[in-house]
Amino acid sequence: MTVWLPLVAALLACAGMLLLALAMDRHRKQLLPRAGRVSRPYRATLRSAALTLLALSLLASARQWGAAIGVVGWFGLLTIGALVMLAWLAALGARRHQPARRSHNG
Amino acid sequence: MKQGFRQSMAWLHTWAGLLLGWLLYLIFVTGTAGYLDTEIDRWMRPEAPAASTNVDSASAAQTGVAWLRREVSNGRRWSLSLPADRNSPYLYLFWQDADGVRDNTRIDLATGEPFTVRDTGGGQTLYQMHWRLHYLPGSITDWLISLATLFMLVAMVTGIIVHKKIFKDFFTFRSGKGQRSWLDAHNALSVLTMPFQLMITYSGLIFMMFSCMPLIINAVYGFDDGSRDRFFDEAFPSSAVGAPAGKPAELIKLAGPLAEARRRWGSDGISRLSVHHPGDANARIRLRGPDARQPMGDPPELVFDGRTGELLAAYGPETTVIDATRDAFLGLHEGLFAGPFVRVLYLVSGLLGTGMVATGLVLWTVKRREKLAKTRSGSPRGLVLVERLNIGTVVGLPVGIAAYFWANRLLPPDFVGRAAWEVHAMFIAWALMLTHAAARPRARAWIEQLWIAAAAFALVPMVNALTTDRHLLNSLPAGDWIMAGFDLAMLGIGLATAAAALFVGRRIATANPARLKSAFDHFSPEEART
């Protein structure tokens, strides 16, 4: 039992969700306004990388809490990861609605 | 009437969700609080000594039995719940005396004597509303809870069917767009917590299965009065202890059985000890092994002869597949096995589920309001009713819970029926909030109630500071995380609610006047009454 292992599992879940969002055109544009559309093979690579990170998160959970409770905890971490991503994207979306202010800053 | 599959599912989702939505909201709120039941218990009993976890369970058992031998020597049965972890922080004794009257007390391990605490419902009463509600007999609440759980499952499944873009909209929340935003929020809360919500709802039904499907028992065991008891005896055999012999006999010293249990389960492994017919020739000593370390499986049990100390039976943790499946679902639902980190995840999932129900309820009114505003026909009566119930419940029920905590600190210690009045305070406050919601214009009602809730929660640490010594200025330096955590959580809820009140207030102030007109004034309650 360590303190950092659950945090690693949580970060892996967040990172996995970030890659999943980057593989989606709408969110890719929000996160990387200057990047173009993602090609099909690149999208597949992003998604596999995302799934790998999520699987690693499951492994970290299982190592921390044992297989049975690890799975329970992992589902909770997926929720947290997706929620962090959703909040981030929503904040980006809200900022885009105020282009005037943004150009002043930039 | 001809309509598509998805439309019928949408209809079912709307009405299954709405009809028992407020009850589901109460179930979610109290259930979420239940993940912190013993922490709330301890805040509500500030006189209690520090928790006695990490103690040797065998020596705690000796302390408890010594007290029972002295005070309840001729009792019918003694039971000791031994301190282990957050789930049972104290040595808890309960017994039946010679006349069969039940009583209980908690023992301070430092002194070996009971400690007196205020008469309070604690976190347990709050948690029990999750499946027992309050004021109603079990025969009614079992059905209400079963029905609500069933509706919840229907709403989950139909919701998944109706939601067309689960993956495409996975990370989507568009703010400031009226109905669209509410739908996004409802979808996000439901989809992101879907594994938890499906698990919690399905396992909730498993909890209620003997109420939901009583006829299955009757089909096998008959319809007579004793049929259910016969079923339970067979389905959940308890280690039989037999009747007393009627001949007195000295109860053996417990060191032997405790040492045997310790050898099998470790020094902190005994969760419960009970002695049946102490002082009788047929006395039996039952010891139960570690509880709640895994979601599955009953704890092992040992039964000893109380006169000779002979080990009569050892029940293993193994069960049938069906029993283990049920245990796994119930275990997952209660999450007793969860350590601090997983417990936080349970708590977050519960809160998000609460938000899911609340946004669903609000979404119903937003949709209906926009539709009515567009067509300018149809009766707004149902809408007004639902809106008022939403305000008075979504904000009003939490205010009631804050009142429950206030009452715990403010009612005098010798107040007759103190614990009952704590609960009355909760329901009185909730009723007042419902009345307020009915009396005020809709937008004002939301803002005012949010401010009331913000004050009610944020002031809890202050009420605690004025009435006890275990306030933040003491609990924080002392590292008393139960008390400090509770106070900080109350402060956090208060601040979050204040932020919500500011947000709603600003939204209404800056909203486009035409939209404001249609959104807030078009259907006033006065108009609805005419």
Side-chain angles (χ1 to χ4, degrees), chain B residues 246-306:
Chain B
K247 277 185 293 185
E250 184 77 14
L251 181 67
I252 56 149
K253 290 207 161 39
L254 290 179
L258 285 170
E260 175 64 23
R262 204 168 190 272
R263 194 181 62 75
R264 291 177 184 236
W265 304 322
S267 69
D268 60 346
I270 311 166
S271 64
R272 190 173 278 207
L273 162 76
S274 44
V275 181
H276 298 257
H277 329 308
D280 184 90
N282 263 355
R284 290 287 180 274
I285 299 163
R286 284 166 61 188
L287 288 155
R288 201 158 80 182
D291 228 349
R293 296 220 177 134
Q294 287 284 321
M296 205 189 300
D298 292 327
E301 203 170 78
L302 297 174
V303 182
F304 293 89
D305 187 314

Side-chain angles (χ1 to χ4, degrees), chain A residues 43-65:
Chain A
R43 189 195 309 273
T45 314
L46 275 174
R47 291 212 165 127
S48 349
L51 291 184
T52 310
L53 290 180
L54 296 181
L56 284 174
S57 167
L58 174 59
L59 275 181
S61 302
R63 198 179 160 80
Q64 171 74 12
W65 295 305

